[in-house]
Amino acid sequence: MLATSRNSELVNLLNRITVGETCFFRNHPQLDALRKIVLPKIVEAQAKSAVPQIRLWSAGCSTGEEPYTLAMIFLEESQGVLKGFRFEIEATDLNEISLEHARQGIYGEYSTRKLPPYFRQKYFLNTGESLQVNSMLQSKVKFSRLNLQDASRMVFMKGMDIIFCCNVLIYFDTSSKRMVIQHFYNNLTAHGFLFLGHSESLYGISEDFRLVHMPSATGYVKSPRTPVMRG
Ligand SMILES: C[S@@+](CC[C@H](N)C(=O)[O-])C[C@H]1O[C@@H](n2cnc3c(N)ncnc32)[C@H](O)[C@@H]1O
């Protein structure tokens, strides 16, 4: 009983102290790189598999603007580069209040300030004071609570082709960053791709990824580990 109440106190505290700043289409150049460079590469790598599918994880999704943005891009590409592919978008965060907001999918002017009119009209219902994500878009994202520092849960996020973990690791110390990045490495497929926020990098954190410079953004591709030579 005592443990349960301590646990709920901790959850309440985490809900209050986490910083959830986000918006739709937060980083246009990064999204262009996803669409024009990363998706075609992953499609090429996946094309021979029996069930062509792409799995994406928005880690530290806050109130949902990032994964819904990614879902809109995937839906748009369903008749383009992703034709014939299934896709799954998992979105996780530590903060339950943010996750509840994300599931409801109702947003005000601040969150939608960078949302292009085309997407606004196609994927949202205008309720007058706010925009509500439509049911088709809502059905494309699965939200769940996950603490990125909980190793016992991180092992279950296997088989991801793309991970977005933007503006989250800035709040972590170096050893926690290393631990989370190690899990990302293990959870990505062989050709998997990792996007961080534009002020974040893996410098001094991990050498298991190759930095990729694209015209509009940078990202990290999983590199095969060099086998240990035994004498
Ligand atoms: C600044 S928001 C980033 C939102 C979105 N990724 C973006 O770039 O727009 C940071 C999010 O990271 C989440 N976060 C912080 N520590 C976390 C942890 N240990 N596990 C999971 N999420 C965490 C916070 O709750 C918050 O929603």
Side-chain angles (χ1 to χ4, degrees):
M1 191 68 182
L2 191 61
T4 312
S5 105
R6 283 220 183 102
N7 196 25
S8 75
E9 273 172 33
L10 181 63
V11 169
N12 285 341
L13 177 69
L14 291 171
N15 286 346
R16 274 187 278 123
I17 62 174
T18 49
V19 179
E21 170 66 24
T22 186
C23 69
F24 287 95
F25 288 83
R26 182 171 188 173
N27 187 345
H28 274 276
Q30 187 181 56
L31 297 169
D32 271 351
L34 169 72
R35 206 165 51 78
K36 294 183 187 155
I37 297 169
V38 175
L39 282 183
K41 282 221 176 314
I42 289 183
V43 162
E44 193 187 326
Q46 285 272 29
K48 291 177 204 113
S49 66
V51 186
Q53 77 163 12
I54 293 193
R55 296 187 72 213
L56 181 146
W57 176 14
S58 165
C61 66
S62 186
T63 38
E65 290 88 332
E66 178 181 276
Y68 283 133
T69 298
L70 297 166
M72 285 187 268
I73 288 172
F74 275 42
L75 283 165
E76 290 297 310
E77 291 300 329
S78 299
Q79 294 310 313
V81 70
L82 292 182
K83 198 167 168 117
F85 272 71
R86 278 168 34 118
F87 68 86
E88 280 177 20
I89 298 182
E90 298 268 353
T92 64
D93 201 278
L94 180 63
N95 188 315
E96 282 183 337
I97 296 171
S98 299
L99 287 168
E100 196 41 42
H101 184 162
R103 289 188 192 99
Q104 284 177 5
I106 299 172
Y107 299 97
E109 185 47 43
Y110 187 73
S111 288
T112 55
R113 65 194 184 277
K114 290 181 167 185
L115 180 64
Y118 170 82
F119 292 93
R120 194 177 280 254
Q121 273 150 30
K122 186 164 174 185
Y123 295 103
F124 291 81
L125 308 170
N126 194 334
T127 63
E129 287 182 351
S130 51
L131 292 179
Q132 159 99 61
V133 168
N134 72 19
S135 54
M136 195 248 294
L137 183 56
Q138 211 160 15
S139 70
K140 296 297 176 194
V141 184
K142 191 173 143 233
F143 291 100
S144 52
R145 182 169 185 271
L146 173 72
N147 181 350
L148 294 172
Q149 299 195 52
D150 181 349
S152 69
R153 295 275 320 282
M154 288 290 275
V155 293
F156 292 111
M157 299 299 288
K158 293 257 181 287
M160 296 294 164
D161 297 295
I162 304 171
I163 298 176
F164 270 74
C165 186
C166 301
N167 311 302
V168 179
L169 297 178
I170 33 173
Y171 304 107
F172 289 27
D173 63 25
T174 303
S175 73
S176 305
K177 281 183 192 172
R178 287 196 178 124
M179 192 271 275
V180 172
I181 294 297
Q182 181 64 57
H183 281 292
F184 286 165
Y185 184 91
N186 295 339
N187 289 334
L188 280 167
T189 50
H191 46 264
F193 210 90
L194 171 66
F195 279 109
L196 301 177
H198 74 98
S199 60
E200 298 170 305
S201 93
L202 293 186
Y203 182 75
I205 304 296
S206 170
E207 295 183 356
D208 287 339
F209 289 83
R210 185 165 54 80
L211 176 64
V212 182
H213 291 278
M214 295 168 277
S216 59
T218 56
Y220 291 90
V221 70
K222 177 166 167 166
S223 309
R225 287 215 171 95
T226 315
V228 179
M229 304 296 282
R230 297 185 197 283

